[in-house]
C-alpha cells in the first residue's frame, strides 16, 4: 500500500467522485486515507476492489434494516468494484458447542444451502447477483488443524479480545465467556485473509470484528482491508433498532400493500435517514427532499409516499408500486374500502361471538389479540366500529369485517 | 466413581498402606477422598491405576530436581500401578508461533525421538521402563480439526483461565498474553482425556494444569483424575529451585565423584527433604535419620555421605558408589592426593606462566577463570598453594597441579 500511482487529472477526479459516493450515510471509514489509496490504485491499474460482506448462515428474512450494508455494496458495484458475499457456514455447521445458544443451533448442509438460496434471491433485489461472488468459509476454516488454529490464535492477545465491548462488560460483571467465543472474531478476520478483501462493510456493532480482519491480514502478510461501518437503522417505532423480534420492521418479501402501509408509518424525522441508507435515490435528490420538507415546499406525507413507492418498486417492481399507492390512497386517504377484499365462505354458526369470529376468519391468531384489538377500537363490521368485547354478531352474506388498518375480509354464505 | 466396593479387612489394610506410601513428601492431593476410592476400586477389581506424568519434549538433562515426581511414579509402580509417561511432542512440533520463546523452538521429528530416548535412558535409573507406557500427544492432538478445537475450548471460560497465577499477574500488569497460550493447559488436560488417566503427578507450579485435566475429563464424560502435587526442591544453594541455569543442580548423568562431591555440599537442613523426595530409602529409615541427627546420635556429615552414596548407587551402581566414597574420603577427609590422578603429557615450554599452564592443561576454560582461581587460593602445585598470578612455573615430570577441590593433573614429560 506504500506504492504511489501517477494519476491523470481525470482519474483524480474519478477518485474524488467515488469517495463522495461511498461516504454516503456511513459512520466511519478506518482509515479513510487507505480507502483513497486503494481507489487510486484501483483506478490507476483498472483493478476492481474486493468488497466483503459477511452473513450469518441462519435462515434470513431480510428486512429494510438488513439492506443498509447491501445498498453500500450496490454503490461499490455501480462504481465497478467486486462484491464478495461471505456466508459463515462453518459456524453454522458447528453450532454452539455449549448447546446454550438457540440462535446458533447446528445446521445441516441442506439447511445452509437453502438459506443461501434465500439470501441470493432476496439480495438480488438490491445488488446484481450475477456480478457478485458468493463464498462459504467452511471451505478454508474446516481445513485448519490444531497447529493452524494455534498459529491463528497466537496473532491476538487476550487483552485485545477483551477490549470488545460485550466481552469487556461480561468479563467485568463476572458473566462467563467461553474461550471458543474468541474464535468467532478470529474466524471472521481469517475470512478476510482467505478472500484478500480490500474493504469490509458492517454495522457499527461489527466494528471490532472488521478491525480484526485488518489486523490478521497484516499478520499474514496481506494488504490490510479498510473497514466501513454503517448505522443500525431504527425501526417503525422510531426508537429501537429494526428487528423482527421487536415487530418494528419492513420485510422486503412482504406484500406490496403491507410494505407501503408500514412505510407510511415511519416517523417523519427518520424519513431522510431511510432515503439515504435504504434506497438508491441519488444523494442530490435526497438532499432536495430534506431541504424542501424543511422549507415547507414539500409535504412530508407526499415524500413518505415517495419513500413507500421506492421500497415497493425495489422489492416488487413498478406496477406493484403503482397499485400499492392506489390501494393506500383508496383505503386511507378517502376512508373507502379497497377494491380487492378477500372473500371467506362462512360455514359456521349464524350468530358468533366477535372475538371468536375474528380468530375463525384467521384475521388474528388468538382470542387475546382479538380482544385487545377490539378494546383499542381496531375492529369494524361494515365500517361500524365494534366496541363491546362481548358482542354477538349476526353473520350475514356480504358482511365486511375489518381488523386494524389494513386487514379486510368479505363474508360469503 | 460413585460405585461402592465391598473390601475385605485385608484389602482395606492394603488401601491404607498404599495411601500412606503415596502421601510421602506430597504437597496436596485433590481430592484425597477420590484417591482412596480409586485405590479401593483398584484393589477390589485387581485393576492397576493409570498414573500420568507429562514431560516437555525439549532436550532433557535430568537433575535431582526432576527426579522428585519420578520417585512418586516409582512408588506407584512398586504398588502395582501403571505409569503413563506423556511426551508433549505436539507442542514441540509446533514451537512458539510468535517466535518469541527460545525454550519453545520448533523441533524436528528426529530431535523429538532422540530426546525421548534420552528420557527413557535416564528415567530407567529410577523407574522400571519395561513396565512403563510412553505416549506422544501429537497422536491425538494433531488429529483435532478447527471444529474439535472449538468444542474443546468451549469447555473452559476465559475467567477460569485467567485464574492461573501467571496469567492473572500478566493480565493485571498489562503484559501481553496471546490467545494460543490458553491452549497449553487445554492440551495438557486433553491428554488426560485421551489417556483416561486416574492420577496426574506434577510440581506445585503445575497445579492449575493438572486440575484442567480433571475438569476436561468430566466435560468429556470420563472418570475424573486425582491430582498430586509435589514440592519443587531447592538446589545446592539451599534457597532457589534446583535448575541447570542457576548451576545449583546435581545431574544424574554427572561423574560419580561430581555427584558425590555436590551431594556433600547440600545444606544440612535440606538433607532430610532430599532423602524423602529424591531417594527410594524407606520412610521409616528417613525418619530414623531425622531423629538421630536431631538427638545428636547421628552425625550430619555421615548421613550426608549416606545420601551421596545413595545418589551415586542409583545413577551409577554400587561399585561406583563405593569408589566415589573412597575418592571423597581420600581427597577431602585426609587432605591427601587421590589414587587416580589423570596424567597429561606435556609438550610445551619448560617454563610456563601459571595462568596459561592451567588453561593449556584444560583444567579451566579461560585465563580469567584461572586468574580468579589463583586469587581465591584454589591452585596448588605439588600441594603448595600458588598465590602469585604472575608466577612462572618450571614444568617438571611428575608435577601435580590441583585446581579447586576436585581437579588434579599429573604431568609426564
Amino acid at each position: 500500500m506504500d506504492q504511489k500511482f501517477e494519476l491523470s487529472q481525470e482519474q483524480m477526479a474519478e477518485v474524488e467522485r467515488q469517495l463522495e459516493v461511498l461516504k454516503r450515510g456511513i459512520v466511519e471509514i478506518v482509515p479513510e486515507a487507505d480507502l483513497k489509496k486503494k481507489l487510486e490504485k484501483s483506478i490507476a491499474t483498472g483493478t476492481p476492489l474486493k468488497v466483503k460482506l459477511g452473513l450469518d448462515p441462519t435462515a434470513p428474512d431480510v428486512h429494510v434494516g438488513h439492506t443498509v450494508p447491501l445498498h453500500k455494496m450496490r454503490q461499490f458495484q455501480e462504481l465497478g468494484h467486486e462484491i464478495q458475499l461471505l456466508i459463515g457456514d462453518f459456524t453454522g455447521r458447528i453450532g454452539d458447542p455449549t448447546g446454550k445458544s438457540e440462535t446458533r443451533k447446528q445446521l445441516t448442509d441442506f439447511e445452509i444451502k437453502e438459506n443461501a438460496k434465500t439470501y441470493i434471491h432476496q439480495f438480488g433485489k438490491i445488488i446484481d447477483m450475477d456480478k457478485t461472488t458468493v463464498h462459504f468459509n467452511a471451505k478454508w476454516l474446516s481445513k485448519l488443524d490444531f497447529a493452524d488454529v494455534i498459529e491463528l490464535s497466537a496473532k491476538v492477545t487476550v487483552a485485545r479480545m477483551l477490549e470488545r465491548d460485550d466481552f469487556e462488560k461480561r468479563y467485568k460483571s463476572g458473566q462467563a465467556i467461553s474461550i471458543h467465543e474468541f474464535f468467532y472474531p478470529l474466524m471472521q478476520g481469517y475470512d478476510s485473509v482467505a478472500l484478500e478483501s480490500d474493504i469490509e462493510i458492517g454495522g457499527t456493532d461489527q466494528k471490532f470484528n472488521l478491525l480484526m480482519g485488518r489486523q490478521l491480514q497484516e499478520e499474514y502478510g496481506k494488504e490490510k482491508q479498510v473497514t466501513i461501518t454503517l448505522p443500525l437503522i431504527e425501526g417503525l417505532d422510531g426508537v429501537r433498532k429494526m428487528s423482527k423480534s421487536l415487530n418494528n420492521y419492513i420485510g422486503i418479501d412482504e406484500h406490496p400493500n403491507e410494505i407501503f402501509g408500514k412505510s407510511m408509518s415511519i416517523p417523519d424525522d427518520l424519513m431522510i435517514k431511510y432515503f439515504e441508507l435504504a434506497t438508491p435515490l441519488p444523494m442530490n435528490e435526497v438532499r432536495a427532499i430534506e431541504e424542501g420538507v424543511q422549507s415547507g415546499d414539500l409535504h412530508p406525507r407526499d415524500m413518505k409516499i415517495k419513500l413507500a413507492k421506492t421500497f415497493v418498486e425495489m422489492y416488487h417492481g413498478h406496477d406493484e408500486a403503482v397499485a400499492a399507492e392506489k390501494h393506500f390512497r383508496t383505503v386511507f386517504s378517502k376512508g373507502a374500502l379497497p377494491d380487492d377484499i378477500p372473500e371467506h365462505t362462512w360455514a359456521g354458526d349464524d350468530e358468533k361471538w366477535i372475538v371468536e369470529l375474528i380468530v375463525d376468519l384467521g384475521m388474528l391468531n388468538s382470542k387475546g389479540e382479538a380482544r385487545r384489538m377490539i378494546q383499542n377500537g381496531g375492529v369494524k363490521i361494515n365500517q361500524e366500529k365494534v366496541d363491546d368485547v362481548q358482542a354477538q354478531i349476526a353473520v350475514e352474506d356480504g358482511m365486511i369485517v375489518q381488523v386494524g388498518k389494513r386487514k379486510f375480509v368479505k363474508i360469503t354464505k
Side-chain angles (χ1 to χ4, degrees), chain A residues 11-31:
Chain A
Q11 288 176 319
M12 275 159 63
E14 175 61 11
V15 169
E16 292 305 326
R17 183 183 79 85
Q18 294 203 7
L19 263 181
E20 203 193 320
V21 169
L22 295 172
K23 279 157 92 170
R24 168 177 180 161
I26 59 122
V27 173
E28 205 180 2
I29 299 175
V30 179

Side-chain angles (χ1 to χ4, degrees), chain A residues 17 70 101 180 223 233 291-292:
Chain A
R17 183 183 79 85
L70 290 174
S101 163
H180 80 285
E223 188 177 308
I233 211 167
E291 285 156 24

Side-chain angles (χ1 to χ4, degrees), chain A residues 26-313:
Chain A
I26 59 122
V27 173
E28 205 180 2
I29 299 175
V30 179
E32 198 175 316
D34 277 10
L35 177 58
K36 196 174 174 187
K37 280 189 210 157
K38 280 183 186 267
L39 287 173
E40 285 168 357
K41 181 179 161 189
S42 163
I43 288 161
T45 63
T47 319
L49 296 178
K50 285 179 266 188
V51 189
K52 172 190 167 202
L53 178 68
L55 303 169
D56 222 89
T58 46
D61 207 346
V62 179
H63 59 59
V64 167
H66 297 127
T67 70
V68 174
L70 290 174
H71 281 281
K72 185 57 63 191
M73 299 305 261
R74 178 185 178 132
Q75 291 156 16
F76 271 105
Q77 203 168 44
E78 285 171 350
L79 295 171
H81 300 294
E82 180 195 326
I83 298 186
Q84 306 175 313
L85 284 188
L86 185 281
I87 298 184
D89 67 329
F90 184 67
T91 41
R93 279 172 223 272
I94 294 172
D96 175 23
T98 64
K100 280 177 196 154
S101 163
E102 250 305 298
T103 57
R104 200 153 251 158
K105 69 177 174 75
Q106 203 159 356
L107 301 175
T108 63
D109 277 12
F110 179 77
E111 287 170 315
I112 287 168
K113 287 273 153 58
E114 287 301 303
N115 292 348
K117 274 189 212 159
T118 313
Y119 271 126
I120 289 166
H121 165 71
Q122 296 189 49
F123 285 12
K125 294 176 173 182
I126 301 167
I127 55 178
D128 183 346
M129 287 305 300
D130 290 340
K131 293 185 185 160
T132 300
T133 56
V134 180
H135 307 268
F136 295 84
N137 64 2
K139 190 173 166 189
W140 46 85
L141 293 180
S142 64
K143 282 185 196 138
L144 299 185
D145 65 16
F146 202 169
D148 299 323
V149 173
I150 286 175
E151 190 189 344
L152 171 60
S153 59
K155 311 281 189 202
V156 182
T157 68
V158 174
R160 172 94 181 84
M161 206 52 102
L162 286 175
E163 278 168 15
R164 202 174 87 167
D165 253 14
D166 57 333
F167 283 154
E168 192 183 18
K169 277 180 204 144
R170 282 164 63 196
Y171 184 66
K172 285 194 174 154
S173 72
Q175 281 177 276
I177 305 166
S178 269
I179 293 170
H180 80 285
E181 296 181 66
F182 282 3
F183 283 115
Y184 297 111
L186 285 174
M187 290 191 276
Q188 186 168 337
Y190 190 79
D191 291 342
S192 293
V193 175
L195 289 174
E196 302 189 326
S197 309
D198 287 300
I199 290 155
E200 186 167 4
I201 310 281
T204 46
D205 56 343
Q206 286 292 308
K207 184 178 172 186
F208 181 93
N209 295 346
L210 304 185
L211 288 173
M212 188 59 69
R214 187 170 160 81
Q215 181 181 344
L216 288 181
Q217 282 176 323
E218 184 172 31
E219 297 276 359
Y220 281 92
K222 306 266 182 180
E223 188 177 308
K224 287 180 280 182
Q225 69 183 16
V226 169
T227 69
I228 299 183
T229 45
L230 290 162
L232 303 174
I233 211 167
E234 292 89 352
L236 302 179
D237 55 9
V239 181
R240 290 172 303 177
K241 188 185 130 181
M242 185 181 285
S243 83
K244 211 181 165 194
S245 59
L246 294 172
N247 198 24
N248 63 354
Y249 70 102
I250 304 171
I252 74 170
D253 264 357
E254 288 191 275
H255 188 277
N257 291 348
E258 200 66 19
I259 294 180
F260 202 102
K262 281 185 173 184
S263 302
M264 293 307 292
S265 76
I266 294 168
D268 283 5
D269 58 354
L270 278 179
M271 189 171 60
I272 296 300
K273 192 170 183 183
Y274 273 65
F275 269 122
E276 183 173 12
L277 293 172
T279 77
L281 202 70
M283 214 40 212
N284 54 349
E285 290 184 42
V286 177
R287 290 279 164 256
I289 292 171
E290 189 174 21
E291 285 156 24
V293 169
Q294 267 171 2
S295 68
D297 290 344
L298 295 173
H299 195 288
R301 193 164 173 285
D302 293 337
M303 292 306 102
K304 226 180 284 175
I305 287 174
K306 186 179 171 71
L307 178 63
K309 262 182 93 170
T310 307
F311 281 148
V312 179
E313 188 160 342

